[in-house]
Amino acid sequence: MRARAHLVVERDPNGRTVVREMRSMAPLRLVPRRGPEEVALVHLVSAVTAPLGGDDLELRVTVGPGAALELRGVAATLVLPGRHPGGSRALVDVELADGASVEYLPEPTVVTGRACHEAVFRARMGDDARLRVREVVVLGRTGERPGSLTTTLDVRRNGPVIKQTSHLGSPEVDASPAGLAGHRVLGTELACWGEDLPGAVSGQWWSLVPLVRGGSLTTAVADDAVTVERALDQARASHPGSGVDLTRSRARFRGDRHTESHGSGGGHHRAGGFAVRAEPVRSRDH
């Protein structure tokens, strides 16, 4: 299966953040919801079981100058083998204009037995843009030997901020101190969010390291996702930008003039939001 989705978030002349355009294609469905007043909150929902072997999924996100977006998952992603040969691939590509802010917070990804998956997060940041990306990977269900996963984090702002690729699912490497030290859950969080720490800090099985070109990276390992999430939260509390608001713009969803889109999978969603000219967001669900 090949699926493409697209999301455009902008700031209108009144300083409000609006979802200007949204295109969904199963299994990638974008569902806006009412969030904090100053944040455009959109949930990424899987309409069917995905990714399966052979799937090629892409989500492209554009955030305009001064606009802000919080993009969240609603359930864990279960990576499964498919009937077709070859692995699966998922790309999230984000373009942040000057002064834009994005928080990408998916739920954990579980790599099941015999699955082979590649996950890429790519972002291009303008001046004064802010980005937070959290990823949690669980190697196999309980008592299951996992498949293989390759993850790439590629972020640029006037040059490379970070380009890191991790290969998971090899028992020998995962068990070694150079890998996961025998743990089955890995969590990472990138924060390009204002001021950074002057040096690295660490706790039990987690570390927060400032990057040379700005930003910081937290890495945590544990035997369960809850412990990893707590470690990432603890590390984030040590970051100077943890108390900075996402945006000062205002989000408006599901106003008097919204569009409703009926898509595959038997469900529907409302792509709310309007600009100062009361133009509805364009939503296409294939």
Side-chain angles (χ1 to χ4, degrees):
M1 177 188 300
R2 185 178 183 183
R4 302 290 183 265
H6 186 210
L7 175 65
V8 178
V9 177
E10 297 178 351
R11 194 175 185 184
D12 72 13
N14 289 344
R16 301 176 301 188
T17 296
V18 295
V19 176
R20 182 67 66 193
E21 183 176 351
M22 185 173 63
R23 300 180 183 179
S24 297
M25 178 181 292
L28 300 174
R29 296 189 62 194
L30 299 166
V31 182
R33 287 289 183 266
R34 185 181 301 278
E37 290 186 356
E38 299 182 350
V39 181
L41 175 63
V42 178
H43 286 113
L44 180 60
V45 180
S46 181
V48 297
T49 300
L52 301 174
D55 286 353
D56 185 6
L57 313 177
E58 286 189 8
L59 170 61
R60 298 191 180 274
V61 179
T62 302
V63 183
L69 170 68
E70 184 175 329
L71 183 60
R72 285 185 172 270
V74 297
T77 297
L78 198 63
V79 180
L80 297 166
R83 295 182 300 173
H84 304 288
S88 53
R89 171 181 174 270
L91 167 67
V92 177
D93 189 284
V94 181
E95 191 80 23
L96 295 89
D98 295 349
S101 301
V102 171
E103 287 189 291
Y104 177 57
L105 306 171
E107 292 297 309
T109 297
V110 182
V111 186
T112 66
R114 299 185 297 109
C116 181
H117 184 60
E118 178 186 11
V120 178
F121 179 91
R122 185 167 62 209
R124 300 296 178 265
M125 303 177 62
D127 293 336
D128 298 322
R130 297 183 297 181
L131 174 67
R132 177 187 172 211
V133 181
R134 176 177 287 200
E135 180 184 51
V136 176
V137 176
V138 182
L139 297 181
R141 292 167 290 195
T142 302
E144 177 184 52
R145 180 171 177 169
S148 64
L149 173 69
T150 299
T151 66
T152 298
L153 179 62
D154 181 6
V155 177
R156 299 179 66 87
R157 176 166 55 190
N158 297 322
V161 174
I162 184 172
K163 186 169 185 179
Q164 174 176 284
T165 298
S166 302
H167 301 281
L168 306 173
S170 172
E172 296 78 11
V173 176
D174 295 341
S176 72
L180 303 184
H183 298 286
R184 60 185 289 263
V185 183
L186 169 67
T188 59
E189 183 166 332
L190 173 72
C192 297
W193 206 272
E195 183 183 357
D196 291 307
L197 288 169
V201 296
S202 62
Q204 186 172 9
W205 293 108
W206 65 263
S207 65
L208 170 61
V209 179
L211 303 175
V212 173
R213 296 183 61 92
S216 61
L217 181 68
T218 300
T219 303
V221 295
D223 293 324
D224 62 86
V226 173
T227 302
V228 163
E229 293 274 8
R230 288 174 178 168
L232 294 177
D233 289 341
Q234 184 178 356
R236 184 167 182 264
S238 304
H239 192 283
S242 62
V244 179
D245 292 337
L246 179 62
T247 178
R248 286 181 295 274
S249 62
R250 183 172 299 277
R252 295 287 294 273
F253 290 113
R254 299 179 67 174
D256 296 335
R257 297 176 177 87
H258 66 264
T259 62
E260 184 173 285
S261 168
H262 295 266
S264 58
H268 71 275
H269 69 269
R270 292 184 174 181
F274 54 89
V276 65
R277 295 183 300 275
E279 296 176 353
V281 61
R282 291 177 292 172
S283 176
R284 299 177 183 177
D285 200 352
H286 301 278

